C-alpha cells in the first residue's frame, strides 16, 4: 500500500525542548507566560539613544517595552520601506504602484504568504507566547508611529505622497507574512529548476556534455574528518540512467522561452532566488588567535538597494529592567528583533545553506484535480482579487492541491514545459505553520553555545549555515526540514519531476544526524561560503550519495580561498582581527590561479603553434598578455589588469560555451555570473567527463578571448595601453530602489569580482542583444561586514561597516553616511557597552507610559 505524502500544513517541528513547553525560553520550572493580543502599554520609560551612525540603542524595563520602542523607532527611520515590504508579502503592491507589479503580487498570492503567516502566528502564540507578545509589542510601536504620521503629528516620510497613498495600520499577521516572504527567498529554487529542465529537455547533447551541479573548486563546509563514514560522497551506484528521457517542448520557441524566463525573473524579483551566491561567515577558536579567544566574521550578501534592506539596532532590557535582551546587530527592515549580531556572551552569523526544499512536478489533470502518482487529489480553488492602480483589477484563480502544494499559474509560465493536459505543481516546506520567529529570539538571548544550538534547532524552513562563537567555543549548525527523497527511482529533484512517479513525493524529512553541524574540534576553524556542506556534488552526480541534500551551490571560488587562507593563517599562528578584516576585503581572483597560466601559455605559443597562426602579428594580444603577467591577481578599483581579466574571462566564456547553450547563455549568465562562469572554466580545465563543450582547442579559445578583449578596449578606450583604463572606472555597485525618485542610491565604484571573497559580480555581456555593457554594474554584495573578537571578560567586541545609511529619509544625515566606509573597507567599533553608547550618542529621547 502506498503511503500518503507528507501533509505539510499539519506538520510541526520534530525537535522539542523545554523552551517550547514553557513558552519562556528557560526551563520547565519557569512560570507560564500568557499571550496577549493587544499591547498592554509601556511599564516604564524607554530611552532611545541615536549614535553617530544613526543606530538606535534602546533601553527599557522589559522585553516588551523594548520591542515597542524598536517598532516605533524602526518605523520612524524606515516606514515607507517597511510598507512596501509589507505589500510585497501580502501581494498588494500593484494597488499602489500599478500594473508593473501584478506578477510579483501573483507570486505572493500563489504561495499564499498571508495564510501561512497567519498559521505561523497561531503556532508562535501557542508554543512561544513570550515571543508572540514581543511581536505584538513591536507591532504596537510601529502602529503608534503610523498613527502619528496620519494625524499630522509626525512628518509623512518621503515616498507616500509621491506614490499617492498613506501608511496603514499593521495587522498581527503582517510581520509573519513578511517572515514567510524572507524564507521563500532563502529557499526558492523555482527558476533554477525550470532553467535546468528547459536545458535538459531542449538541448540534451549540451546537457550531457557537462555536469551542471559540479563546483569549480571541490571544497566542502564540513571538515573531512567530521563527515561520518556513512555519509561519504559517491559511495553508491549512480541512478542517472533511470531518469525520465528529455521531453522536448512542442512547439520549441527560443523567443517564447526567453520571454517567459525574463517575465518569471521579474515576477520573482521581490523574493529573489535562494541566494544570491556571495555570503561568507567563519569562526576560529582561541588556539589559533593572538588573544587566545575566538573570533567570528560575517558578510551576508543580499541585493544592495537604497535604503539598505537591513537595519542596525541595539535592544537592551537588562540594564534598566528585568528582561532577557542585550543584543545588537542587524534585522531586515520590517521585521522584529535582531536576526544577526551578538549579545553579552555570543555572536552568531549566517549564510544561505542551499538545501533543496522545493520541487516541481508536471502532473496529469483530471476533472477538478490532479493525479499525484496513484492518488487523485481534488484541488481547492481560491480567488485572489488584485487591485491595480490606474487599471482594472486582476482576479487570480489559484488551485491548491492539499498536502501536495499549489499549481503554478499558467500566466507566469505560459510554456509547454508539460505535455497537454498536465500542469506544473510546486511544493515547498514553507507550506506549513513554522516557528522561525522563536528561533531568532532564542538565539539572541542565548548565553552559551548549547543554548544557542537549541535556538537554531527551532528552525524549519529557512536554510542557513549558522556559525556562532563565544570567547572559548565555536559552532556550526544547520537545522531545516529537508525532504527525504529516494533518487533511486529516477526522479531528479533539480528538474521538473514526472508527476506520475508515485515514489517521488515527499513522505518524511532527513533526520537531524543527516544535517551538517560541527565544532571544528580538530582543525579549530569553520567557514561557509554557500558551498556544498558534504561534497555530494563534486562529481556532478547526486544520485550516488548516501542521501540527497541539494544540487545548486556556489561554485567554490570563495570556499577555496577561505580554505587556503585559513590553512596559511593557522599554520603561522596568532591570527589577528586585522587578518579577519583583510580576509573579508580580499579581492584575489581564485579563478586566475588556474586559468591565468593557461592564457599566458597560449599567448606565448603565438608564432610557433600552427593552430594560432591567425593571431600572429597582433601586438595588442601580446600587450594584454604582458599586462596580465604583471597583474597581482586582485580585483582592485585602480587595477588595469583586473579590467583585462574580467573582459578576458567573459570573452573566453562566450567563445567556449555560447554556441552550446545558445540563447540560454545570456539569460542565465545575467542572473548568476559567479555560478555560470564555472561552466566554461571547468571546460577549459578539462574537468568534465567529456570535452564536448569545447569545439576547438583551449589554446585558441584563450587567445581569441584576448583578441576580443583587445577589440573591446580599442573601441571603448581607443587603445589597449593599461595606463588608459582601470577596473573602478567602469565597474561598481548600483544602489537601486524599486520606487525610484530621491530614494535612488546611484552608483559607486567598488572592488571585487565574480570569484573573489569580496564578491562584486557583474556581466560583461549585459548590453542590448548580448553586446558588451556600457558599465559593469553589480547589484548585490555584502549588506554588512562584521568582525567580532572577545574581551577578557567574554564580552563580544564588534567592528563593522555597512552601505548607504541607517535612515530611509533622503534628508537625514544618516541617509548615506556609511557608504564611504563600506566602499573603502573602513571598519569602526560597534558601540555596545553603556559607556561606549553614551560616548557615541548624538541625540536621544524618551518614550513614557501613557503617551
Amino acid at each position: 500500500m502506498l503511503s500518503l505524502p507528507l501533509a505539510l500544513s499539519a506538520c510541526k517541528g520534530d525537535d522539542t525542548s523545554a523552551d517550547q513547553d514553557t513558552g519562556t525560553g528557560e526551563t520547565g520550572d519557569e512560570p507560564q507566560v500568557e499571550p496577549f493580543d493587544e499591547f498592554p502599554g509601556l511599564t516604564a520609560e524607554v530611552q532611545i539613544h541615536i549614535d553617530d551612525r544613526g543606530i538606535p540603542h534602546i533601553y527599557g524595563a522589559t522585553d516588551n517595552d523594548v520591542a515597542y520602542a524598536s517598532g516605533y523607532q524602526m518605523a520612524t527611520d524606515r516606514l515607507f520601506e517597511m510598507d512596501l515590504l509589507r505589500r510585497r508579502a501580502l501581494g498588494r503592491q500593484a494597488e499602489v504602484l500599478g500594473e508593473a507589479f501584478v506578477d510579483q503580487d501573483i507570486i505572493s498570492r500563489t504561495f499564499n504568504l498571508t495564510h501561512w503567516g497567519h498559521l505561523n502566528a497561531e503556532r508562535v502564540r501557542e508554543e512561544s507566547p513570550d515571543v508572540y507578545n514581543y511581536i505584538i509589542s513591536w507591532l504596537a510601536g510601529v502602529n503608534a508611529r503610523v498613527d502619528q504620521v496620519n494625524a499630522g503629528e509626525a512628518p509623512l516620510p518621503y515616498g507616500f505622497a509621491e506614490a499617492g497613498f498613506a501608511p496603514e495600520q499593521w495587522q498581527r499577521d503582517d510581520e509573519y507574512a513578511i517572515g514567510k516572504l524572507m524564507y521563500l527567498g532563502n529557499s526558492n529554487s523555482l527558476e533554477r529548476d525550470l532553467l535546468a529542465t528547459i536545458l535538459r529537455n531542449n538541448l540534451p547533447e549540451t546537457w550531457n556534455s557537462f555536469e551542471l551541479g559540479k563546483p569549480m573548486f571541490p571544497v566542502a563546509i564540513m571538515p573531512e574528518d567530521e563527515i561520518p563514514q556513512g555519509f561519504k560522497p559517491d559511495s553508491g551506484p549512480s541512478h542517472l540512467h533511470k531518469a525520465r528521457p528529455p521531453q522536448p517542448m512542442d512547439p520549441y520557441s527560443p523567443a517564447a522561452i526567453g520571454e517567459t524566463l525574463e517575465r518569471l525573473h521579474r515576477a520573482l524579483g521581490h523574493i529573489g532566488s535562494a541566494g544570491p551566491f556571495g555570503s561568507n561567515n567563519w569562526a576560529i577558536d582561541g588556539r589559533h588567535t593572538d588573544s587566545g579567544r575566538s573570533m567570528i566574521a560575517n558578510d551576508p550578501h543580499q541585493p544592495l538597494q537604497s535604503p539598505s534592506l537591513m537595519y542596525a539596532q541595539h535592544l537592551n532590557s537588562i540594564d534598566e529592567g528585568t528582561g532577557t535582551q542585550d543584543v545588537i546587530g542587524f534585522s531586515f527592515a520590517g521585521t522584529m528583533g535582531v536576526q544577526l549580531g551578538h549579545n553579552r556572551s555570543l555572536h552568531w552569523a549566517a549564510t544561505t545553506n542551499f538545501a533543496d526544499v522545493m520541487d516541481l512536478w508536471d502532473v496529469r489533470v483530471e476533472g477538478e484535480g490532479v493525479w499525484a502518482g496513484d492518488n487523485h487529489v481534488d484541488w481547492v480553488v481560491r480567488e485572489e482579487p488584485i487591485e491595480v492602480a490606474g487599471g482594472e483589477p486582476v482576479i487570480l484563480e489559484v488551485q491548491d492541491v492539499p498536502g501536495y502544494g499549489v499549481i503554478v499559474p499558467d500566466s507566469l509560465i505560459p510554456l509547454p514545459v508539460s505535455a497537454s493536459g498536465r500542469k506544473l505543481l510546486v511544493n515547498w516546506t514553507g507550506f506549513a505553520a513554522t516557528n522561525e520567529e522563536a528561533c531568532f529570539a532564542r538565539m539572541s538571548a542565548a548565553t552559551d553555545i548549547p543554548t544557542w544550538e537549541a535556538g537554531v534547532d527551532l528552525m524549519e524552513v529557512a536554510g542557513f549555515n549558522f556559525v556562532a562563537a563565544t570567547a572559548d567555543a565555536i559552532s556550526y549548525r544547520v537545522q531545516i526540514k529537508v525532504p527525504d527523497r529516494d533518487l533511486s527511482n529516477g526522479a531528479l529533484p533539480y528538474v521538473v519531476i514526472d508527476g506520475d512517479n508515485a515514489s517521488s513525493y515527499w513522505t518524511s524529512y532527513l533526520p537531524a544526524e543527516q544535517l551538517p553541524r560541527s565544532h571544528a574540534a580538530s582543525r579549530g576553524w569553520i567557514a561557509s561560503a554557500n558551498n556544498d556542506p558534504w561534497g555530494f556534488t563534486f562529481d556532478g552526480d547526486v544520485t550516488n550519495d548516501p542521501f540527497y541534500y541539494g544540487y545548486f551551490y556556489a561554485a567554490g571560488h570563495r570556499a577555496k580561498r577561505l580554505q587556503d587562507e585559513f590553512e596559511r593563517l593557522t599554520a603561522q599562528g596568532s591570527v589577528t582581527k586585522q587578518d579577519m578584516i583583510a580576509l573579508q576585503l580580499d579581492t584575489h581572483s581564485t579563478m586566475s590561479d588556474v586559468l591565468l597560466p593557461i592564457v599566458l601559455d597560449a599567448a606565448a605559443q603565438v608564432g610557433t603553434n600552427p593552430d594560432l597562426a591567425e593571431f600572429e602579428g597582433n601586438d595588442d594580444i601580446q600587450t594584454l598578455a604582458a599586462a596580465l603577467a604583471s597583474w597581482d591577481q586582485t580585483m582592485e578599483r585602480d587595477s588595469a589588469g583586473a579590467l583585462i581579466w574580467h573582459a578576458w574571462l567573459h570573452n573566453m566564456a562566450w567563445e567556449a560555451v555560447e554556441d552550446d547553450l545558445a540563447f540560454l547563455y545570456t539569460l542565465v549568465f545575467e542572473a548568476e555570473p559567479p555560478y555560470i562562469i564555472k561552466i566554461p572554466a571547468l571546460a577549459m580545465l578539462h574537468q568534465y567527463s567529456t570535452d564536448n563543450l569545447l569545439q576547438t582547442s583551449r589554446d585558441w579559445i584563450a587567445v581569441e578571448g584576448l583578441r576580443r578583449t583587445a577589440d573591446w578596449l580599442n573601441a571603448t578606450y581607443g587603445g589597449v595601453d593599461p595606463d588608459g583604463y582601470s577596473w573602478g572606472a567602469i565597474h561598481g555597485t548600483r544602489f537601486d530602489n524599486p520606487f525610484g525618485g530621491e530614494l535612488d542610491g546611484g552608483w559607486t565604484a567598488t572592488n571585487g569580482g565574480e570569484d573573489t571573497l569580496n564578491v562584486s559580480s557583474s556581466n560583461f555581456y549585459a548590453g542590448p542583444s548580448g553586446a558588451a555593457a556600457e558599465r559593469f554594474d553589480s547589484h548585490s554584495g555584502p549588506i554588512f561586514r562584521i568582525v567580532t573578537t572577545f574581551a577578557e571578560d567574554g564580552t563580544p567586541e564588534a567592528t563593522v561597516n555597512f552601505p548607504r545609511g541607517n535612515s530611509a529619509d533622503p534628508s537625514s544625515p544618516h541617509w548615506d553616511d556609511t557608504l564611504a566606509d563600506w566602499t573603502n573597507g573602513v571598519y569602526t567599533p560597534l558601540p555596545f557597552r553603556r559607556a561606549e553608547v553614551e560616548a557615541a550618542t548624538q541625540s536621544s529621547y524618551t518614550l513614557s507610559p501613557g503617551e
Side-chain angles (χ1 to χ4, degrees):
M1 178 177 178
L2 290 172
S3 61
L4 291 176
L6 196 63
L8 294 176
S9 61
C11 179
K12 291 187 177 181
D14 295 330
D15 297 328
T16 58
S17 69
D19 293 4
Q20 294 166 290
D21 293 336
T22 67
T24 66
E26 300 296 336
T27 69
D29 296 330
E30 298 291 329
Q32 178 71 41
V33 173
E34 293 297 327
F36 53 71
D37 296 313
E38 185 173 328
F39 179 58
L42 292 174
T43 65
E45 289 186 342
V46 181
Q47 298 180 30
I48 297 95
H49 297 260
I50 311 297
D51 73 16
D52 50 6
R53 280 178 291 194
I55 300 173
H57 302 260
I58 300 172
Y59 298 88
T62 70
D63 289 349
N64 295 332
D65 284 359
V66 168
Y68 174 91
S70 169
Y72 180 86
Q73 182 60 37
M74 186 184 290
T76 299
D77 286 330
R78 300 288 191 94
L79 186 57
F80 183 62
E81 179 187 16
M82 292 168 65
D83 194 283
L84 291 184
L85 176 61
R86 170 177 162 272
R87 289 178 177 276
R88 283 164 55 189
L90 303 181
R92 293 183 52 204
Q93 293 183 99
E95 72 179 58
V96 295
L97 299 179
E99 186 177 1
F101 292 85
V102 167
D103 284 347
Q104 292 190 359
D105 286 350
I106 287 175
I107 289 287
S108 295
R109 302 294 185 96
T110 299
F111 279 86
N112 213 2
L113 301 179
T114 301
H115 169 71
W116 298 115
H118 170 76
L119 293 187
N120 271 27
E122 290 298 303
R123 180 175 173 187
V124 172
R125 189 182 194 279
E126 176 186 350
E127 297 182 6
S128 306
D130 60 321
V131 178
Y132 181 84
N133 292 349
Y134 194 92
I135 297 176
I136 291 292
S137 304
W138 181 86
L139 288 166
V142 173
N143 285 334
R145 185 63 179 183
V146 170
D147 286 345
Q148 287 182 343
V149 168
N150 287 334
E153 298 169 1
L156 181 68
Y158 178 87
F160 285 108
E162 291 73 11
F165 70 98
E168 295 179 344
Q169 285 270 308
W170 285 48
Q171 304 304 310
R172 182 199 70 165
D173 296 343
D174 292 352
E175 198 275 349
Y176 296 89
I178 289 171
K180 282 293 187 185
L181 177 75
M182 299 296 184
Y183 313 144
L184 177 59
N186 171 268
S187 52
N188 167 46
S189 62
L190 194 153
E191 273 184 285
R192 292 191 180 107
D193 289 357
L194 189 63
L195 280 165
T197 301
I198 292 171
L199 177 60
R200 180 179 185 272
N201 284 352
N202 298 290
L203 300 171
E205 291 186 6
T206 298
W207 176 266
N208 291 324
S209 66
F210 71 99
E211 293 82 38
L212 180 61
K214 187 174 185 176
M216 184 168 177
F217 296 100
V219 178
I221 299 174
M222 285 291 294
E224 188 173 353
D225 63 343
E226 293 188 25
I227 299 178
Q229 188 61 39
F231 295 170
K232 295 296 182 182
D234 318 330
S235 56
S238 173
H239 299 288
L240 287 175
H241 62 285
K242 298 179 183 179
R244 178 172 58 168
Q247 311 289 311
M249 290 170 54
D250 185 20
Y252 172 62
S253 168
I257 291 174
E259 183 179 339
T260 296
L261 291 177
E262 288 181 349
R263 179 177 182 181
L264 185 60
H265 186 65
R266 289 194 303 271
L268 291 167
H270 66 312
I271 62 170
S273 57
F277 295 117
S279 300
N280 308 300
N281 67 1
W282 60 81
I284 182 170
D285 70 26
R287 80 186 87 167
H288 299 300
T289 68
D290 61 342
S291 68
R293 296 181 290 275
S294 305
M295 288 191 290
I296 186 170
N298 195 194
D299 55 298
H301 285 220
Q302 290 286 327
L304 292 176
Q305 297 183 357
S306 173
S308 172
L309 298 178
M310 299 202 88
Y311 181 74
Q313 60 180 336
H314 177 192
L315 311 174
N316 186 320
S317 58
I318 297 176
D319 280 3
E320 299 179 359
T322 58
T324 66
Q325 299 285 307
D326 189 6
V327 59
I328 190 169
F330 295 85
S331 59
F332 283 97
T335 62
M336 68 89 188
V338 170
Q339 279 105 49
L340 295 171
H342 74 78
N343 57 30
R344 293 186 174 190
S345 306
L346 179 143
H347 185 115
W348 74 101
T351 66
T352 301
N353 175 251
F354 287 99
D356 190 348
V357 297
M358 180 182 290
D359 280 342
L360 278 169
W361 292 262
D362 65 334
V363 291
R364 180 163 40 103
V365 177
E366 183 176 311
E368 296 299 309
V370 297
W371 284 93
D374 300 323
N375 296 324
H376 182 268
V377 185
D378 290 334
W379 58 45
V380 177
V381 177
R382 55 184 163 91
E383 283 194 350
E384 296 280 352
I386 299 173
E387 299 294 328
V388 181
E392 294 296 318
V394 173
I395 306 301
L396 174 68
E397 187 175 277
V398 183
Q399 297 150 335
D400 292 311
V401 183
Y404 291 87
V406 61
I407 299 298
V408 180
D410 293 337
S411 62
L412 287 177
I413 309 178
L415 286 175
V417 177
S418 303
S420 177
R422 302 177 77 88
K423 287 184 177 291
L424 283 179
L425 170 73
V426 60
N427 204 359
W428 171 47
T429 56
F431 293 147
T434 55
N435 204 21
E436 279 68 28
E437 285 79 6
C439 166
F440 285 108
R442 301 296 179 237
M443 285 195 294
S444 69
T447 56
D448 54 28
I449 292 295
T451 56
W452 175 82
E453 290 175 341
V456 173
D457 288 348
L458 297 176
M459 184 67 71
E460 294 175 332
V461 176
F464 292 109
N465 296 302
F466 283 118
V467 171
T470 60
D472 57 3
I474 63 175
S475 175
Y476 163 57
R477 198 168 187 89
V478 176
Q479 181 65 39
I480 188 174
K481 288 184 175 296
V482 182
D484 189 1
R485 304 167 174 96
D486 179 6
L487 271 57
S488 67
N489 55 46
L492 304 179
Y494 48 88
V495 293
V496 174
I497 302 168
D498 180 4
D500 295 335
N501 186 336
S503 60
S504 69
Y505 293 94
W506 306 344
T507 58
S508 61
Y509 297 116
L510 294 179
E513 59 266 22
Q514 289 180 318
L515 300 176
R517 42 198 61 181
S518 167
H519 293 112
S522 60
R523 71 184 188 189
W525 61 269
I526 194 76
S528 78
N530 309 125
N531 48 320
D532 185 340
W534 306 105
F536 291 166
T537 60
F538 290 178
D539 65 342
D541 183 356
V542 293
T543 71
N544 61 357
D545 301 304
F547 53 90
Y548 175 70
Y549 191 83
Y551 187 81
F552 294 103
Y553 297 99
H557 307 124
R558 291 171 290 112
K560 170 64 171 170
R561 181 64 173 171
L562 281 173
Q563 176 179 272
D564 290 348
E565 286 298 282
F566 267 106
E567 289 177 352
R568 178 183 68 84
L569 290 168
T570 55
Q572 73 184 31
S574 297
V575 180
T576 68
K577 178 177 71 173
Q578 197 56 46
D579 290 329
M580 298 293 94
I581 289 175
L583 199 52
Q584 274 190 336
L585 300 175
D586 185 82
T587 63
H588 178 84
S589 166
T590 313
M591 281 194 289
S592 71
D593 290 336
V594 292
L595 294 178
L596 186 57
I598 292 174
V599 67
L600 295 180
D601 179 66
Q605 294 180 49
V606 175
T608 60
N609 185 340
D611 290 342
L612 306 178
E614 67 186 273
F615 303 113
E616 292 180 20
N618 190 325
D619 294 337
D620 288 349
I621 288 175
Q622 298 306 322
T623 297
L624 295 184
L628 286 177
S630 62
W631 173 49
D632 65 1
Q633 296 180 253
T634 65
M635 303 298 289
E636 293 289 315
R637 284 171 288 172
D638 60 357
S639 171
L643 180 57
I644 297 169
W645 178 251
H646 177 77
W648 176 84
L649 192 63
H650 288 249
N651 282 317
M652 174 278 295
W654 185 273
E655 286 297 329
V657 301
E658 186 274 337
D659 55 339
D660 300 279
L661 296 179
F663 70 96
L664 283 175
Y665 179 80
T666 303
L667 287 170
V668 176
F669 204 106
E670 182 179 2
E672 293 175 343
Y675 185 81
I676 300 304
I677 200 73
K678 71 172 185 178
I679 297 174
L682 283 169
M684 291 286 282
L685 293 167
H686 304 301
Q687 292 297 305
Y688 288 127
S689 55
T690 75
D691 265 342
N692 294 342
L693 277 180
L694 301 185
Q695 305 302 313
T696 185
S697 73
R698 79 175 187 183
D699 289 333
W700 186 91
I701 292 172
V703 179
E704 173 64 8
L706 284 177
R707 185 197 66 77
R708 291 174 64 100
T709 299
D711 288 349
W712 173 74
L713 287 169
N714 278 310
T716 305
Y717 295 103
V720 299
D721 185 346
D723 290 336
Y725 46 83
S726 67
W727 181 228
I730 196 170
H731 168 267
T733 300
R734 182 77 176 85
F735 290 92
D736 289 319
N737 181 277
F739 180 72
E742 292 182 30
L743 296 178
D744 186 276
W747 182 89
T748 186
T750 44
N751 296 328
E754 277 73 49
D755 62 332
T756 59
L757 267 174
N758 185 14
V759 181
S760 185
S761 64
S762 58
N763 183 4
F764 184 87
Y765 287 105
S769 303
E774 292 185 6
R775 191 177 65 197
F776 307 134
D777 287 355
S778 175
H779 298 277
S780 64
I783 205 159
F784 66 80
R785 302 185 186 100
I786 193 166
V787 173
T788 297
T789 58
F790 292 85
E792 289 186 7
D793 66 357
T795 302
E797 297 180 326
T799 53
V800 66
N801 64 46
F802 55 95
R804 300 301 303 161
N806 214 37
S807 171
D809 179 2
S811 66
S812 167
H814 302 300
W815 162 244
D816 62 358
D817 59 322
T818 64
L819 179 59
D821 281 356
W822 178 84
T823 302
N824 296 317
V826 176
Y827 291 67
T828 51
L830 187 60
F832 181 64
R833 293 182 177 89
R834 190 61 176 264
E836 297 166 348
V837 171
E838 291 177 353
T841 296
Q842 286 193 334
S843 64
S844 63
Y845 69 97
T846 300
L847 294 176
S848 300
E851 288 186 352

